[in-house]
Amino acid sequence: MFNQFGATAETLSKASAVVLRIGTDAHLYDDPEDVSIAPLLDSKFDSEKCEALKRVLALIAQGFDVSNFFPQVVKNVASQSLEVKKLVYLYLLHYAEKRPNEALLSINYFQKDLGDPNPLVRAWALRTMAGIRLHIIAPLVLAAVGKCARDPAVYVRKCAANALPKLHDLQLEEHAPAIEELVGILLNDHSPGVVGAAAAAFSSVCPNNFELIRRNYRKLCEILPDVEEWGQIVLIGILLRYAVARHGLVRESLMLSPHSLGNGFCKKDGLGKELVMDKGDGDMNGSLDSDLVGMVIKCYVEGPDDYLSRSSCHDTVSSAFGRKDSTSIADNDGVKILLQCTSPLLWSNNSAVVLAAAGVHWIMGPKEDVKKIVKPLLFLLRSSSSSKYVVLCNILVFAKAVPSLFAPHFEYFYISSSDAYQVKALKLEILSLVATSSSISSIFREFEDYIGDPDRQFAADTVAAIGVCAKRLPNIPTSSLDGLLALIGQESFAGNIESMDGEAAVLVQAVMSVQTIIEQDPLSHEKVIIQLFRSLDSIKVPAARSTIIWMVGVYSSLGHIIPKMMTTVIKYLAWSFKSEASDTKLQILNTTAKVLTSAKGEDFLTLKRIVSYVLELGECDLNYDVRDRTRFLRKLLSDKLASHERGGDDAEPQENFTAYVAEHVFGRKLGPFSPKPSHHRFYLPGSLSHIVLHAAPGYEPLPKPCSFVFEEHDQLSDLRRQRDVATDSDGSRGSSGTIDDYGSESATDSVPSSDSDESTPSNEARDTPYPLIQISDFTESSTNQGGGSVSNSADLEELRSRKALDMWLNEQPSTSTENSSVSTRNQSSYAKISIGDIGSRVKPKTYTLLDPANGNGLKVDYAFLSEVSTVSMLHVCVEIVFENSSSEPILEVNLEEEETNKASDSVDQALVEKGSISQDNVPTLVPMEEINRLDPGERAKGIIQVRFHHHLLPLKLALRYNGKKVPVKLRPDIGYFVKPFSMSVEAFKDTESRLPGMFEYTRRCTFTGHVGDESTEAKDRFLWICESIGLKMLSNSNLFLVSVEMPVANNLEDATGLCLRFGSKILSSEIPLLISVTVEGRCSEPLNLTIKINCEETVFGLNLLNRVANFLADP
Amino acid sequence: MLQCIFLLSDSGEVMLEKQLTGHRVDRSICAWFWDQTLSQGDSFKSLPVIASPTHYLFQIVREGITFLACSQVEMPPLMAIEFLCRVADVLSDYLGGLNEDLVKDNFVIVYELLDEMIDNGFPLTTEPNILREMIAPPNIVSKMLSVVTGNTSNVNDTLPSGTSSCVPWRPTDPKYSSNEVYVDLVEEMDATVNRDGELVKCEIYGEVQANCQLSGFPDLTLSFANPSIIEDVRFHPCVRFRPWESHQVLSFVPPDGQFKLLSYRVKNLKSTPLYVKPQITSDAGTCRVSILVGIRSDPGKSIESITLSFQLPNCVSSADLSSNHGTITILSNKTCSWTIGRIPKDKTPCLSGTLVLESGLDRLHVFPTTKLGFKIMGIALSGLRIEKLDLKTIPPRLYKGFRAQTRAGEFEVRL
């Protein structure tokens, strides 16, 4: 019936699966590419987009690389549907790092979403923006996090806290203080949910910045029970570290107490009694655990690698943590409150929280209270089998250090057949640790059951555990020994069957355990030894045999009966030598030698003959180890073997060196076997390192006790905190105040500037005195002069910024820097500037389109022109220079669009900045006239107008000449995607003030273009600097120089405060873009420039900023 | 913190990957993992924390699906494991079970859930009730809708109100026309009977599961008649610690809907409702087995769906087992299960038969352990009784319901 039921169940589930799959996304997962995804992504309907995105996601899930959809997916970020958004975010997070440039396109939408009234949208935007991890947008993300950290919605603040580690991951040193400050703000949040996330951020951003914790310590402790579970885990760890660093270890705690316990006080509490009782039970346990506990705490504080490398394992621990490093709970509120607030967490539903809280009490709790971690820890064993393993690993260390903690609860470690093997092994180890003389009998009864377990490896472990228990508790019932011997008998029988390899292990362990028990008191176990010797014949497992044979050697002279049977045993061994495994052979050789050295009288002669026989056999053995051993022994025993002439008299051997050695090697009695510490690498409870038993990357031991010193008293710290808060708020008020002040300043200043057009304070040079010289631009002056007549406007279009520069640069030498009044007049002299002068000064950079080597002697260069295209605002004018460097004339040279592009470019077209109207109607390339013939050495110029699809991606063109077609790539220069925008200084500043915060980005670079030129000596240095910066800017991008400002109080050497302003508009969208370059440093040395761009189009601005910084830094 | 989560099917296929941080983890780690699983077998599969050559892996296995999380840095391993368990719970709750097909069919939901549950490797929202508000579980209605209309969104466009309040597990102001609270005591009996027939261990692991459908902001107090029998407790985050410490009373503002309020343990029970009397005698390569199952102490309610299962040792070559009640099935992996159902009034169910051992073996030297399963409705075997459930402000039309049931947990009888 069961079968039938199973069958029906199966068909039922199959049938229901078919039904269930209707309406799910099953078909998408099974066959994500059965329709073309790309057109769906471009669909107008959210539902189709959604389906396409799901298909893409299915491909990701199956491990395909679908980053080629990036551009289409990214533009869907603008969708209003939250589901589409979510799916796009999932995709973005997966691929952003691979496609950083395209990912940047999404930034504007994130910025927009960050201002959305729906907190969910804000939170998602922040999470994704921080999650795409691009260095370039880090300042934007930081600003966004700063904003979201003050968001009214808890969820958004929580996401802000989560975003901090992402920022920190980018390892931007310049932002580190800002990030830490945000951590501090969020730690101080009143909502527990935020505090939890902030704690996580703290531990990954600045785990040792205890100052942040100190400010809020008490509050953090109190809020701890309300923090959500995952935050609790981290916060507990942080608070523990802080408490150790601030207050030191606790004198009453287990960690420091065993030493005082050893000194004989502190016995009145319950645990102390148990410990003492335990000492009575197992003689060496008491002392063992105090040493071990000392070692544990040393490992916790120093890290096991450091500690063990100092090698003096058993040095006095108490000396290391003196009174000055420790504290007492009674008079330390900080520790008390930590313990109080963590104790209810022992009831948490989350195992990790329980374990973390238990760790605090284990390290810091007074030892009479450590008991309370026991039951919660044991209760954790009832959770999932995976966590069971981890919990047991931790309990194992606790039990090792203080067995009495878990001794009363030994039943919890009874093994259930459903436990995994590792869990069983751990439980066995713990059981053998916590067994006491009162519980041992029930534990052994339990062990008996385990020996019959079908898992033979486990059975073998059980047998080994019996041995361990026997060693710990020597007065164990002899029944266990009988049981073991019975087992040996039974196993040796079962071991006959080849197939059961598990049995061999059980048998070996059984023999070893028996040996361990005998070792405690060999004399009283003489009969057992004899029984073992007798069983040699039936035991076939080599390892077990060699153990027994070893015992023959060790106990050969024990008691009365054994020496008598020695010759028989040795005879048997010699007889069986040939058929043994090589390990056993080695053991037989050793044993016979041992027996021989201790033999006396008649036996000696018989034995000698047997030994010589064995040695002869050994010399012909196939295994070279055995042969080597034989030769070695023959040499050592040469004296004994040869002694038949001397009749074994005892006076001589002392002189004989080899005999002496032999005596010492073999005749030595077995000394007491001291349990040497096995593995003693302890890591903090609950840590990963503790489970894998090596320090995982990022593992940090506890801080040094009292390493965080804070001067003020605790009572004062509250006051101080309040004061901190007060100054904080003062600070924020102050900063906003300065902005207001600044506004009013400029307002007052604008009064004189309105008539004389002088000294407007620069934003950057706020601290420096007002600039004296105000170089105003020609536009303004022209409007001043001519009142902006219509006839002028035609001129205005032609008048480029470079003219303004040249006007100014040419004019300036006549005006002296000291004389401010002259500078106001310079506007009238612009007309003098000749165009030819510009041409010589501003040289647009040329790039190579085609190398003569690749083009059969045709060399093609191109340069971006500053003219604005006549076709559309998306086009850029490019001058192409053809030169024939070959000896043949080249015919029919032309550049044209690559036809194949057209179809696939629809993808890229999507990338073109928004705001472009009717872009599809505009051709990509407005070609030049064809050059019919280019003679050798001849040069020809042509001008084309190009529409790049994206300001970073190259455009593929085809160059035709001599009837051939060569594909070439025209690389865009972002500097020419803007056009000059003439504006007044006021207009500039006004626009600038409307583009604050996220629309403003700065970068710094070093400028060296002005040094190293001798001709500068003659000129004014300031002018030279202005000129060289201005020239560099203008020859690399299409800008308009709005103004140049110079501070007046400078000495001649200091160029700090010099500021150049450029105005421009983005070609495609007419969005204004402002650039200010501020200079810092001395005239004769490389200067530090700060470039600031204000623009609504964040991505474009950032890219241009990079470009500007690059070419300015370029010597 | 966690860097990546993989979901592997029971054949080792990677069904899903979710990268969590910028430090991407390559899929090849799964291949490594699966190779190790194949070569090292079960002992590897049950190892929750693995140090691979490149990453630390955390794994849990649920219904054949392996949840694998990777990290390269120190982090609390229990946090990772607990989180994976939470993910598994939430998924099986959403998908109505957990298997390869369900995960694949609903991979979008799985992705959306994972994205909401963990951010940058740190758990974000794990409270099931809140997740439900953010991402609608698939149900018949939405499936049908999606068939008819082509698309429905399962992503809710508003933030659950609970996230902003001081009780994040509860939406701010749910409205119900009839207010209902159901409290269930669900107990599992863990017991071990050793080969001598002694009861080595017998304890109850219980949960108080509640289903609250209450309007507004209710403040509940639940008290037990005999709280002293409870040995250990673990609480849902909503339970206030103070009242429990002082008078062992549960005071809480409940989440909306189904949740686990409390889990507890009651130790040292003296008897089990059923007895299992096995008898094995082996002689000359065959083994006679008989197992009797009967009622030891009548709990007063009927004991249902009694099953008994055990794994035949490897050295058994064939088995011939029959019973006077119920059915016996022996699967190819030598798992033998006996479905008894209810104990009949007139006879004691008895399984008997012979096992033939492999040649060369005279008698059985390893003994299987049987697992007993049963279910008793309407009673909590621990004896824990709910005294009363109070609401601070009593809403109109309040209905309170209490139920109890006990089933076998790890109930083992060694043969």
Side-chain angles (χ1 to χ4, degrees), chain A residues 256 432 524 631 843 861 868 878 935 1035 1070 1099 1105:
Chain A
L256 295 186
S432 50
S524 59
R631 285 194 203 100
K843 253 187 254 141
D861 288 338
V868 175
V878 184
D935 286 320
S1035 34
E1070 295 272 325
V1099 182
L1105 180 64

Side-chain angles (χ1 to χ4, degrees), chain A residues 142 164 168 175-187 201-202 205-212 215:
Chain A
L142 190 62
L164 289 173
H168 176 74
H175 298 314
I179 296 176
E180 287 191 24
E181 193 194 324
L182 282 172
V183 171
I185 291 172
L186 289 164
L187 270 179
F202 176 88
V205 172
C206 48
N208 293 316
N209 187 350
F210 292 123
E211 177 57 28
L212 280 182
R215 277 188 236 151

Side-chain angles (χ1 to χ4, degrees), chain A residues 1-3 20-26 28-29 47 54 57-58 60-63 82-83 86-87 90 94 97 118-120 124 127 133 154-155 158 162 165-166 169 200 225 228-231 233-234 344 347-352 355 375 378-380 382-384 386-391 411-412 414-418 420 422 445-446 448-450 452-454 456 490 493 497 500 503 686-689 691-692 694 696-699, chain B residues 15-24 27 43 46-49 56 58-60 72-79 81-83 85-86 101 104-108 111-112 115-116 118-120 122-126 134 143 146-147 151-159 163-164 188 190 194-196 198 200-201 205 231-235 241 244-245 260 263-265 267 327 329 339 360-361 363 365-367 369 371 410 412 414:
Chain A
M1 191 182 106
F2 208 84
N3 256 334
L20 282 172
R21 289 180 77 133
I22 295 172
T24 66
D25 301 319
L28 300 180
Y29 191 94
S47 61
K54 283 178 179 176
L57 206 58
I60 293 181
Q62 290 164 31
L82 273 166
E83 182 160 35
K86 180 107 206 167
L87 293 169
L90 283 170
H94 200 85
E97 264 181 317
N118 184 348
L120 196 62
W124 280 359
R127 279 178 61 188
R133 281 162 227 278
V154 175
Y155 187 73
K158 201 165 138 187
N162 276 333
K166 299 180 195 172
D169 247 16
E228 55 166 24
E229 43 195 343
W230 311 107
I233 304 167
V234 184
W347 293 330
S348 168
N349 207 15
N350 188 317
S351 326
L355 187 58
K375 278 190 181 174
L378 292 171
F379 199 15
L380 292 187
R382 191 58 171 72
S383 44
S384 74
S386 307
S387 47
K388 200 189 257 183
Y389 171 76
V390 177
V391 173
E411 302 105 325
Y412 282 91
Y414 282 178
I415 284 134
S416 129
S417 61
S418 57
Q422 288 91 348
R445 205 162 333 131
E446 196 58 18
E448 274 168 40
D449 277 5
Y450 300 160
D453 195 277
R456 297 320 281 164
Q490 179 200 334
F493 163 72
I497 297 151
M500 294 188 213
E503 304 303 331
S687 66
L688 174 62
S689 308
I691 307 297
V692 295
H694 62 251
Y699 174 80
Chain B
M15 293 189 289
L16 270 179
E17 74 171 273
K18 171 95 178 101
Q19 302 284 347
L20 305 171
T21 69
H23 311 281
R24 300 168 62 86
R27 265 177 193 240
S43 68
S46 57
L47 203 62
V49 183
Y56 297 105
F58 304 99
Q59 65 155 337
I60 66 159
Q72 276 179 314
V73 292
E74 169 70 46
M75 68 171 293
L78 266 189
M79 182 162 152
I81 292 165
E82 188 86 2
F83 176 74
C85 290
R86 240 18 110 74
D101 282 343
K104 283 182 175 175
D105 294 355
N106 298 287
F107 71 99
V108 176
Y111 261 118
E112 285 167 350
D115 192 56
E116 211 44 65
I118 188 162
D119 184 16
N120 196 34
F122 190 76
L124 183 66
T125 310
T126 48
M134 293 181 120
K143 277 179 195 164
S146 78
V147 170
N151 180 56
T152 49
S153 167
N154 51 4
V155 178
N156 198 339
D157 55 0
T158 50
L159 193 65
T163 53
S164 54
E188 287 184 10
D190 296 351
N194 72 5
R195 297 221 162 90
D196 305 337
E198 282 172 49
V200 176
K201 185 176 96 172
Y205 168 80
E231 185 88 0
D232 310 306
V233 277
R234 291 174 77 180
F235 297 127
F241 295 125
W244 178 261
E245 269 176 297
K260 188 175 94 181
S263 48
Y264 59 89
R265 166 130 81 177
K267 263 181 72 179
T327 51
T329 48
T339 315
L361 267 183
R363 53 200 183 82
H365 66 291
V366 291
F367 303 96
T369 302
K371 300 193 76 152
E410 286 181 354
E412 296 189 342
R414 300 188 184 128

Side-chain angles (χ1 to χ4, degrees), chain A residues 773 775 808-827 829 1020 1023 1046:
Chain A
I773 305 180
I775 293 99
W808 176 73
L809 290 174
N810 281 354
E811 180 59 23
Q812 196 58 28
S814 69
T815 64
S816 95
T817 342
E818 284 79 31
N819 192 344
S820 62
S821 62
V822 181
S823 68
T824 57
R825 295 276 75 84
N826 67 357
Q827 44 191 272
S829 55
D1020 187 303
L1023 291 179
M1046 239 184 276

Side-chain angles (χ1 to χ4, degrees), chain A residues 712-726:
Chain A
E712 274 169 277
H713 291 286
D714 282 342
Q715 293 96 315
L716 284 177
S717 70
D718 271 0
L719 277 176
R720 158 103 181 202
R721 196 171 68 219
Q722 283 163 7
R723 227 187 305 137
D724 280 353
V725 171

Side-chain angles (χ1 to χ4, degrees), chain B residues 383-404:
Chain B
L384 188 70
R385 288 193 312 280
I386 293 173
E387 194 175 56
K388 59 177 187 235
L389 176 69
D390 288 336
L391 275 80
K392 215 166 239 172
T393 50
I394 295 166
R397 287 189 299 279
L398 175 68
Y399 178 75
K400 295 189 268 188
F402 303 97
R403 279 191 306 191

